[in-house]
Amino acid sequence: MEVSDEQRVILAIFVLKDDALEWWESTERTHGREVITWQHFVELFHRRYFPDSLMVQKEAEFIRIAQGTQSVYEYERKFAELSRFAPHMVDTEARKARHFEMGLREEIQGPVSMFKLETYAEVVDRALIAERNCNRLSKANDQERKPNQSNFLKGRSSGSSFKKQGVPNSNKKAHKTCPRYGKAHSGTCYLESGACFKCGKTRHFIKDCPNLRAEQTTNTSGSQQKPKVQGRVFALTKQDAEVSPSVVSDLHKG
């Protein structure tokens, strides 16, 4: 603005507010009518808000600065902020560019360093391009992984459903104990209804069952004759023994 040092102090005081304004009013009372030059004002201001300990801390942060998980844009803003505390490290475009480049992440630093750029602006621009390429490649890899993961999950789900479907539900159901027969069975109790224990039909017993007679005829016509079924009636059917009086009497005779 091409103003004198005296006017610079007046302009600086005009923009102070809150804690900074209170600090200046206190400093002005301490110095009384002493004329404060611009150089003196800067020293007092830095002593209050930028002490030497803070300057050393900020300079160390700038020396160790690295991108980390930040984007290139966020890293550049932090770099510009801290570079004010170490002006000797960024006194040329080449030194500033190299220091910024060394703090980039490896996958971004590689494509940038191969161009051997000499200006800070070129390095920042190339880093932004490398970052976009890395993000695009990462998204493409994620899209390739998703179908494989979905197929794997489908295979697991279909396998589990196959196992579930392979077990019949009827096997899991428990039959109630029949009060007449004394054992568990499904459907109508043949002993209760008086039905044939061979075919399940009424009006005849198992010994007179047409199906049983058909089996006897088939066995007789074979090359090897098997024992008659009549002899098996008493051993296999406790129910017929209870229903048929003739069978019961024969058992007692035996």
Side-chain angles (χ1 to χ4, degrees):
M1 296 179 64
E2 298 182 0
V3 297
S4 64
D5 286 353
E6 184 179 353
Q7 291 174 324
R8 288 187 182 189
V9 175
I10 297 173
L11 292 175
I13 295 172
F14 179 76
V15 297
L16 295 177
K17 60 181 181 179
D18 301 331
D19 178 71
L21 181 58
E22 294 176 359
W23 161 80
W24 171 249
E25 292 175 350
S26 176
T27 301
E28 194 175 29
R29 287 193 296 270
T30 302
H31 288 78
R33 293 181 176 274
E34 178 184 348
V35 177
I36 299 178
T37 64
W38 173 246
Q39 185 64 31
H40 191 194
F41 175 84
V42 172
E43 291 176 359
L44 293 173
F45 188 82
H46 283 177
R47 191 182 305 167
R48 172 66 177 82
Y49 291 103
F50 294 99
D52 292 341
S53 59
L54 181 60
M55 294 286 288
V56 173
Q57 177 185 338
K58 292 297 183 181
E59 182 179 355
E61 288 182 24
F62 182 70
I63 294 173
R64 299 189 304 267
I65 192 170
Q67 180 183 359
T69 59
Q70 303 174 97
S71 66
V72 173
Y73 175 74
E74 293 170 336
Y75 169 58
E76 195 278 331
R77 291 184 61 185
K78 189 69 175 178
F79 185 92
E81 176 187 341
L82 293 177
S83 64
R84 297 180 296 136
F85 301 100
H88 60 284
M89 299 185 66
V90 290
D91 52 353
T92 66
E93 278 289 319
R95 287 169 61 88
K96 188 176 182 180
R98 294 289 79 78
H99 193 67
F100 180 85
E101 182 181 303
M102 292 300 296
L104 292 169
R105 286 200 302 269
E106 184 177 355
E107 65 271 19
I108 299 177
Q109 182 186 134
V112 173
S113 60
M114 65 184 298
F115 289 98
K116 298 182 180 181
L117 304 172
E118 293 297 328
T119 66
Y120 176 73
E122 289 176 330
V123 171
V124 173
D125 182 62
R126 182 59 59 177
L128 290 170
I129 296 174
E131 182 181 47
R132 286 196 297 269
N133 293 337
C134 288
N135 293 338
R136 190 180 301 112
L137 180 61
S138 178
K139 289 180 181 179
N141 292 336
D142 291 341
Q143 290 176 354
E144 290 180 359
R145 294 191 195 100
K146 286 180 180 180
N148 296 333
Q149 293 176 354
S150 61
N151 292 336
F152 175 73
L153 294 175
K154 286 180 181 179
R156 293 188 60 183
S157 61
S158 61
S160 60
S161 62
F162 172 77
K163 292 180 180 179
K164 293 180 180 178
Q165 294 173 2
V167 180
N169 293 332
S170 59
N171 293 343
K172 299 181 181 180
K173 295 181 179 178
H175 301 301
K176 295 182 180 180
T177 303
C178 178
R180 181 68 183 276
Y181 183 56
K183 295 183 179 180
H185 63 75
S186 61
T188 304
C189 179
Y190 291 166
L191 187 62
E192 182 72 24
S193 62
C196 173
F197 281 86
K198 182 65 177 177
C199 64
K201 297 179 181 180
T202 57
R203 298 184 181 180
H204 67 268
F205 298 113
I206 187 173
K207 63 179 182 177
D208 301 321
C209 181
N211 295 346
L212 188 60
R213 292 177 181 177
E215 289 181 3
Q216 291 176 355
T217 303
T218 303
N219 293 335
T220 304
S221 60
S223 60
Q224 184 177 359
Q225 188 172 354
K226 296 182 180 179
K228 293 182 179 181
V229 182
Q230 183 66 28
R232 292 160 53 195
V233 173
F234 306 107
L236 297 177
T237 59
K238 176 182 177 183
Q239 294 80 358
D240 281 351
E242 294 176 355
V243 174
S244 176
S246 62
V247 176
V248 173
S249 61
D250 288 343
L251 286 172
H252 283 296
K253 290 178 181 180

